[in-house]
Amino acid sequence: MLFNSLTFIVFFAVVVTLYWSIRSWNARKNLLVTASYIFYGAWNPPFAALLFSTTAMDFWLGRQIAKAKNRSSRRAWLVASVCMNLSMLGFFKYGNFLLENFQWLLARIEVIYHPPHLDILLPVGISFYTFHSLSYTLDIYRGVLQPTRSLRDFVLAVSFFPQLVAGPIVRAGDFLPQLVRPPRLRIGQFLWGLSLMTLGLFEKIVLADTMLAGSADRIFGYAGPLVALDSWLGVIAFAGQIFFDFAGYSTCAIGAALCLGFHLKDNFRFPYAAIGFSDFWRRWHISLSTFLRDYLYIPLGGNRVGWTRAAINLVIVMFLGGLWHGAAWTFVVWGLLHGSYLVIEHASRALIGERAWTENFAVKLLLGLVTYGAVCLAWVFFRASDFTIATRMLRGMFGGHPHGDAILATREMLQIGIVTFFMMLAHWSLRETNIETAVTRLPRWIVTAAWALMACAIILTQGSSNAFIYFQF
Amino acid sequence: MPSSTSNFKRILRLPRLFFRQPTEAESVHGGPPLEFERPIPQIPWRGITVIVVLFVIAAASAWEFYCRSIGYGPTLNDNEDLWTITRRRAQPESIVIIGDSRGWYDLDLDELQKGLGKRPVQLAMAGSCAYPVLADLADDKTFHGTIICSFVPGLFFAPPGTPPMERGEKAVRRSHTQSPAQRGSEYLAMPLEEHVAFLKQQDLTLEQLLKRLPIPNRLGALVPPRLPPYFGTVDRERRARMIEECARGGKLATTIQQIWLPIFTPPPPPSYVPKDVFMAKMKDAIEKRFGDTIAAVEKLRARGGKVVFVRLPVSGGLKALEDRTTPRDQTWDPLLQAAGAPGIYFEDFPELAGFNCPEWSHLSAGDSVEFSKRLVPHLRAALGM
C-alpha cells in the first residue's frame, strides 16, 4: 500500500479512528499489528508470512542471547541471528546477482557455466525490516537492550506500518520503550502529524514525480549522446527527485506515526546544505548511516585504530552501504565514491586542521556547493542502470559530446532550475535548525497558506500512485 | 590513541566492539518510556486546520466549477488498473477487442453483442501496439475465444522500447502483478472519477497544465510531440466515446488533427545511429513483429481461438499521411497473407468507407454505433459464424 494512494487514505482514516476510539492499550497494539500486516500484505500477501517468520526468529534468538551464560554462546546466538537475517536478504535480494558474478568469474578461467535464472520476487522493504529486526538482537548482545517479553510488542516494533517498507530504520530499542505506556491523544501533535504527511506527499507527488522525475527519466533513458547542459540538468533533476522522494516518504512516516502517538527520529536534515561528506551523511538517510556506524564502523574499530585503518573502515562501510541499496555494481561504485570522498575529507582535515578562514560564510558556501557537486556526480552511478549509461552521462557532463542532442524542453529546464533553487535555499536557510522551530517562528498566515497550498497542489496533481524509489531497496 | 601494535589483537577479535558499554543516552527497554520526543510546534493548530480545510474545499469546488464551465465532464481515467480489472473479465470463450484507440472508440459493445451474441471485452488502449496483448492472450492457455484486433500500421509495427509497445507491455505486466492495494485504489477511484470532472489524468493534472504553457523550446531540441487534449469519455467497461464538442468539429477537432500529424509521422533516425544501420534495424524489427504475430495467431488457432484484423476508418490529412508512410501493400496485405487470418479493411466496403472522423482518427460516439452495426455482418463472415 502506497502512502500516495486512495487505499492508504481510507486505510489510515479507519485505523486512526479505531485506534483512538479503543480504550485498552493492548487492544490498540493488537489493532496496529493487524493494520501493519494488512498494509504489508496488500502488496503481496505471502510475504507477510516471511516478515512474521523473520520477526519471530529474532524474538526467540534475542531471548537466547539474553539467557546465554557465557560470551561464546551469546556470540553463537548472535551469529545465528545475523546469518538468518542476512541469508534471507541475500537470497531474495542478491541471489541472481551472486550467480551472475559467479558465472562471470568462471568465464575468466574459461569455465562455461549457465546458472538457472532464479525467478525471485523481491519482498517490498526487506532491506528495511531486516535491519529493524536485526537491531534488536544486536542491541541485546551489546547489552544496551533487554529482550521484551511480548512477542506482539516486538512484532509491532518491526512491522509498524509507517516505517515498515522504506524507513526510517527504527531500532527496536527506540520503539519498544514507546509501547510501555499508551500515548495520549494530543490535538496539536495529531494535526502536526497530518501537516507532516501533507508535506511528505507534496514532496513526493508534486516535487519528485511531477516536477523532476520525467526529466531525469528521459535523460538517463536516452540512448544517445547528450550536450553538457542536458546531462547536468538530468543529474540535478535526479538529485532533487531522490531527495524529495525519500525525504517525502520519511516525512509521511514520521507524520503518520505522530498521528498514532509515536515518535520517530528525523531521517533527513537538509542534506544538500551539507559542508563536507561527513556532514552529508549526518543529514542524509540518518537512520541508515547511524545503523552502519554503530553496528559496522565502530565494531571494525572506527577511527580509533589509526588513520589508515580508519580510512579502510570507511571504505568498507560505504561499500556495504552501496550494496545495501541494490544488487548491482553501479551501487557499489556509488558507495565506494562516497567512501573515497570521506577519506579525502578526513585527510584534508588532518592536513589543514582548524583554521579561522574555514568558518567564513563564503568558504562554507563554496565547500557546500563542492559537496553538492560531488554528491551529484555519485548519483550518476546510483541512477544509471549500467556502466555504459553512467559513462555516457559523465562524458556528456564534462563536454565529451559537444554535438550531442538536446532533449529537454525549456519548461522542463525551468522546472528543474526553479525547484532546485528553492530546495537549496530552503536547505541553506534551515541547515542549523529544524522544521519544527521554523514553523513555530513563521507567521501563522504563512504556515496556514503553505499547508493549504500544498494540499491543493496534491489534489491538482492527482498522482498516479508511482512507487517510491526506495521501495526497490 | 593506542598504538596500532598494542591494539592489533583486539582489532582482530571481531566483533570486539559489540561489547562497547552502552552510552547514557541508550536506554533499556522498560526504562523511561521515551528518551526521544519530537517537538511539536506550539501554534494554534485547530484554527489553522479549520482554515486549511475550508480553503481546500473552496479551491477544489472552484476548480471543479471552472473545469465543467470549459467543457470537461466526469469520466473514468483509463489506466493499467482499469485495464487489468477489464482483462479479468475475459473468459475462455470471450470476444476480446485489442489494439489501439480506433478499436477503443469505434466499436460499440452493445451493437457487437447484438450481432455476435456475446458482449465483447474491451482491451484496446489509446496509442498502444496490439502485439503485447495478443501475445499475452496467446500465452493464456485457458483462452480460446475470438480476438478482434484493430490495426494501425504505425502502432502495430512499433519496435520494442517505443511508447506504443511500452503502453501495451505495462498493462499486461500490471494484469499479472496487480496487488490488492492497487485493485482497491482503482475501485475507490472509480466512483470519484465518475462524479468529479477535474480528476482527469490525461488533461488536468499539474503536469499536463504545465505542459500547456506556451514556452518556446531551444532550436533543434528533440522534444516529444504534444498529445491530444481530452476528447472522450470512458466507462467501467472501458468503452470510449468521443465527446460532443469534438464530434461537432470546430476548434477542438482541428487542434487534435494538427496534433496527430507529428505523432503519426515516422521519426527521423536518431543522430547517434547511422541512417542505414537504423533502417536495417527497423526492417529487422518489423520482420520480427510479422514472425511473432504469426506465431501468436497460430498458437491461438491451435486451441480453437480465432483472430480477425480490422482496419478502422481514418480521414483527411491523417489518412493521406498513413497511406504514404505505411502503405497497405507493405503492411496490411502481407500481414494477413502471412498470418492466414481474416481481415476487414474499411475502404473495401462502401458501407464502411463513408464515415468521417471529426478529428481524422476516430468516429464520433453516434457514428461508432452505426459503424459497428454495419461491421457485424463482415465480422460474422470473417469468423465463419
Side-chain angles (χ1 to χ4, degrees):
Chain A
M1 207 180 290
L2 299 171
F3 284 162
N4 54 331
S5 68
L6 285 174
T7 326
F8 180 76
I9 294 173
V10 173
F11 164 85
F12 189 66
V14 171
V15 170
V16 166
T17 309
L18 286 174
Y19 178 78
W20 290 115
S21 318
I22 297 170
R23 279 193 152 197
S24 154
W25 180 219
N26 275 326
R28 277 155 71 178
K29 288 194 274 190
N30 290 339
L31 169 74
L32 287 183
V33 170
T34 311
S36 297
Y37 271 77
I38 290 172
F39 177 86
Y40 192 70
W43 264 291
N44 194 331
F47 285 146
L50 182 74
L51 169 64
F52 180 76
S53 59
T54 313
T55 312
M57 274 301 285
D58 274 328
F59 175 74
W60 183 75
L61 288 166
R63 297 183 80 156
Q64 301 311 310
I65 294 170
K67 273 197 296 191
K69 296 274 189 314
N70 54 52
R71 183 186 289 180
S72 59
S73 34
R74 281 163 64 82
R75 187 179 295 176
W77 288 119
L78 177 72
V79 168
S81 168
V82 171
C83 288
M84 189 267 296
N85 281 288
L86 296 188
S87 59
M88 201 78 86
L89 194 59
F91 174 76
F92 282 103
K93 193 164 174 175
Y94 303 103
N96 281 318
F97 177 69
L98 291 173
L99 273 178
E100 282 163 18
N101 283 282
F102 183 58
Q103 181 188 18
W104 182 86
L105 274 176
L106 288 180
R108 297 310 94 188
I109 53 168
E110 298 186 354
V111 175
I112 304 303
Y113 166 60
H114 293 291
H117 181 82
L118 303 175
D119 205 9
I120 302 168
L121 201 59
L122 183 69
V124 176
I126 188 168
S127 305
F128 288 93
Y129 74 67
T130 302
F131 276 23
H132 296 162
S133 188
L134 195 53
S135 73
Y136 176 69
T137 48
L138 287 170
D139 279 349
I140 292 173
Y141 182 82
R142 294 197 310 166
V144 298
L145 186 69
Q146 287 173 1
T148 174
R149 273 172 295 186
S150 164
L151 173 63
R152 190 266 324 275
D153 280 11
F154 182 57
V155 166
L156 180 54
V158 174
S159 66
F160 183 50
F161 71 84
Q163 38 91 354
L164 172 58
V165 291
I169 298 166
V170 180
R171 299 183 197 186
D174 287 332
F175 195 83
L176 285 170
Q178 301 191 48
L179 296 175
V180 176
R181 287 179 214 141
R184 278 187 305 121
L185 174 61
R186 287 185 289 180
I187 289 297
Q189 178 177 310
F190 183 84
L191 295 174
W192 173 233
L194 284 184
S195 56
L196 282 178
M197 291 178 80
T198 313
L199 172 63
L201 286 177
F202 175 78
E203 288 181 289
K204 163 66 180 166
I205 297 173
V206 180
L207 299 178
D209 288 352
T210 301
M211 305 299 272
L212 301 171
S215 310
D217 290 350
R218 272 197 334 113
I219 291 288
F220 278 91
Y222 192 68
L226 289 166
V227 292
L229 178 63
D230 289 49
S231 305
W232 273 105
L233 284 173
V235 176
I236 289 170
F238 179 69
Q241 183 201 352
I242 192 158
F243 167 73
F244 287 124
D245 190 284
F246 192 20
Y249 192 92
S250 296
T251 309
C252 270
I254 291 167
L258 268 183
C259 289
L260 296 163
F262 292 92
H263 297 257
L264 308 184
K265 290 178 181 170
D266 282 337
N267 208 20
F268 289 86
R269 280 191 208 118
F270 314 108
Y272 289 142
I275 300 170
F277 304 98
S278 309
D279 191 23
F280 179 78
W281 282 104
R282 280 193 290 270
R283 294 167 179 277
W284 180 277
H285 203 171
I286 300 163
S287 60
L288 175 69
S289 54
T290 50
F291 189 99
L292 293 175
R293 180 197 66 197
D294 292 349
Y295 300 122
L296 190 61
Y297 181 64
I298 292 176
L300 284 172
N303 56 3
R304 291 178 289 177
V305 286
W307 194 90
T308 313
R309 183 60 194 266
I312 293 169
N313 290 345
L314 274 176
V315 174
I316 292 171
V317 168
M318 293 315 292
F319 165 82
L320 292 172
L323 205 54
W324 177 87
H325 282 85
W329 288 108
T330 45
F331 287 112
V332 172
V333 170
W334 172 79
L336 289 176
L337 265 177
H338 272 280
S340 317
Y341 292 162
L342 287 166
V343 170
I344 293 167
E345 180 185 310
H346 283 220
S348 311
R349 278 186 201 280
L351 278 174
I352 297 169
E354 297 293 322
R355 300 284 168 90
W357 57 266
T358 58
E359 293 307 307
N360 180 300
F361 179 74
V363 175
K364 279 185 170 178
L365 184 64
L366 184 68
L367 289 174
L369 291 176
V370 169
T371 308
Y372 174 70
V375 167
C376 282
L377 273 186
W379 285 136
V380 171
F381 290 94
F382 192 95
R383 175 62 179 80
S385 46
D386 58 46
F387 287 108
T388 312
I389 295 173
T391 315
R392 190 169 57 228
M393 283 296 296
L394 289 173
R395 203 172 285 163
M397 287 161 75
F398 292 102
H401 305 136
H403 304 294
D405 295 328
I407 64 166
L408 289 179
T410 310
R411 170 190 58 80
E412 292 172 301
M413 296 160 76
L414 287 171
Q415 282 173 209
I416 297 167
I418 291 168
V419 172
T420 305
F421 174 77
F422 282 105
M423 176 185 75
M424 295 301 273
L425 192 68
H427 283 211
W428 278 89
S429 313
L430 299 170
R431 73 182 299 276
E432 305 293 353
T433 180
N434 58 43
I435 192 164
E436 286 85 358
T437 310
V439 167
T440 308
R441 285 181 188 162
L442 278 171
R444 307 286 184 261
W445 72 267
I446 292 186
V447 176
T448 313
W451 191 5
L453 289 176
M454 284 192 298
C456 287
I458 291 168
I459 292 171
L460 184 62
T461 308
Q462 299 176 32
S464 51
S465 293
N466 287 337
F468 289 81
I469 294 176
Y470 264 68
F471 280 10
Q472 62 190 291
F473 306 139
Chain B
M1 184 187 290
S3 75
S4 58
T5 316
S6 64
N7 210 21
F8 187 63
K9 280 185 180 173
R10 287 201 296 137
I11 294 164
L12 281 184
R13 230 173 44 208
L14 286 173
R16 169 180 64 86
L17 281 162
F18 281 129
F19 296 106
R20 181 168 70 88
Q21 288 300 308
T23 61
E24 283 185 22
E26 290 167 326
S27 70
V28 173
H29 179 219
L34 284 181
E35 84 175 33
F36 167 76
E37 196 164 340
R38 293 195 68 84
I40 307 299
Q42 296 305 308
I43 56 175
W45 281 110
R46 285 173 203 259
I48 288 173
T49 308
V50 169
I51 295 170
V52 167
V53 169
L54 291 177
F55 181 87
V56 171
I57 291 172
S61 307
W63 180 235
E64 172 70 8
F65 181 75
Y66 174 73
C67 291
R68 284 179 187 252
S69 75
I70 57 170
Y72 288 97
T75 176
L76 294 188
N77 287 309
D78 191 44
N79 54 38
E80 297 89 42
D81 288 312
L82 181 62
W83 191 89
T84 296
I85 288 169
T86 315
R87 170 71 178 86
R88 290 216 172 93
R89 289 200 199 115
Q91 300 296 310
E93 293 182 359
S94 288
I95 297 172
V96 177
I97 301 167
I98 66 169
D100 43 71
S101 57
R102 290 182 200 160
W104 199 36
Y105 275 92
D106 297 358
L107 300 178
D108 183 64
L109 303 186
D110 294 334
E111 288 302 326
L112 294 183
Q113 184 181 10
K114 274 186 223 162
L116 302 175
K118 279 181 201 162
R119 193 161 186 81
V121 176
Q122 179 54 273
L123 295 181
M125 273 175 283
S128 91
C129 167
Y131 176 70
V133 183
L134 178 67
D136 183 57
L137 287 165
D139 289 339
D140 178 354
K141 291 191 173 64
T142 63
F143 182 79
H144 52 268
T146 301
I147 294 175
I148 301 171
C149 179
S150 170
F151 180 85
V152 173
L155 295 171
F156 192 86
F157 292 110
T162 53
M165 270 297 277
E166 283 177 350
R167 225 159 272 156
E169 286 167 344
K170 219 170 148 188
V172 169
R173 205 177 312 127
R174 179 61 61 89
S175 71
H176 292 290
T177 61
Q178 190 184 47
S179 67
Q182 286 166 334
R183 201 179 318 164
S185 279
E186 183 57 29
Y187 279 118
L188 289 169
M190 281 196 274
L192 277 178
E193 290 168 4
E194 283 168 341
H195 291 93
V196 182
F198 73 70
L199 293 177
K200 206 158 269 78
Q201 286 169 1
Q202 183 195 348
D203 234 29
L204 294 175
T205 59
L206 181 62
E207 188 176 8
Q208 299 302 326
L209 295 171
L210 287 170
K211 279 183 183 171
R212 279 198 223 159
L213 293 176
I215 303 173
N217 288 316
R218 287 172 290 174
L219 203 64
L222 304 172
V223 177
R226 193 182 146 199
L227 294 173
Y230 158 79
F231 67 93
T233 59
V234 183
D235 63 21
R236 290 195 181 209
E237 281 188 299
R238 291 190 71 258
R239 161 73 159 110
R241 290 181 180 83
M242 187 180 287
I243 58 169
E244 261 311 296
E245 191 192 344
C246 184
R248 278 198 304 268
K251 195 182 166 200
L252 178 61
T254 318
T255 307
I256 297 170
Q257 288 168 4
Q258 296 314 309
I259 289 172
W260 291 136
L261 295 179
I263 289 180
F264 279 88
T265 303
S271 63
Y272 50 92
V273 182
K275 193 177 174 187
D276 51 338
V277 174
F278 177 75
M279 296 313 284
K281 272 189 179 173
M282 290 297 288
K283 192 166 169 272
D284 289 348
I286 290 171
E287 275 171 13
K288 184 166 186 321
R289 181 61 43 80
F290 268 109
D292 291 343
T293 305
I294 294 162
V297 171
E298 279 172 0
K299 212 187 270 186
L300 276 159
R301 264 204 302 248
R303 292 199 300 266
K306 293 174 183 170
V307 181
V308 55
F309 290 93
V310 188
R311 182 78 162 109
L312 295 161
V314 53
S315 317
L318 184 58
K319 181 176 183 313
L321 177 72
E322 285 189 1
D323 287 348
R324 193 173 67 248
T325 55
T326 50
R328 175 178 177 162
D329 60 353
Q330 290 174 25
T331 54
W332 173 262
D333 295 340
L335 179 74
L336 293 196
Q337 199 180 6
I344 303 163
Y345 201 104
F346 74 100
E347 278 187 310
D348 292 347
F349 307 98
E351 68 273 27
L352 301 180
F355 288 88
N356 178 53
C357 303
E359 38 65 273
W360 289 352
S361 190
H362 308 94
L363 296 174
S364 67
D367 277 356
S368 72
V369 176
E370 181 58 29
F371 178 82
S372 302
K373 198 184 286 179
R374 296 184 192 181
L375 181 68
V376 163
H378 298 284
L379 283 173
R380 291 186 67 89
L383 295 167
M385 294 171 89

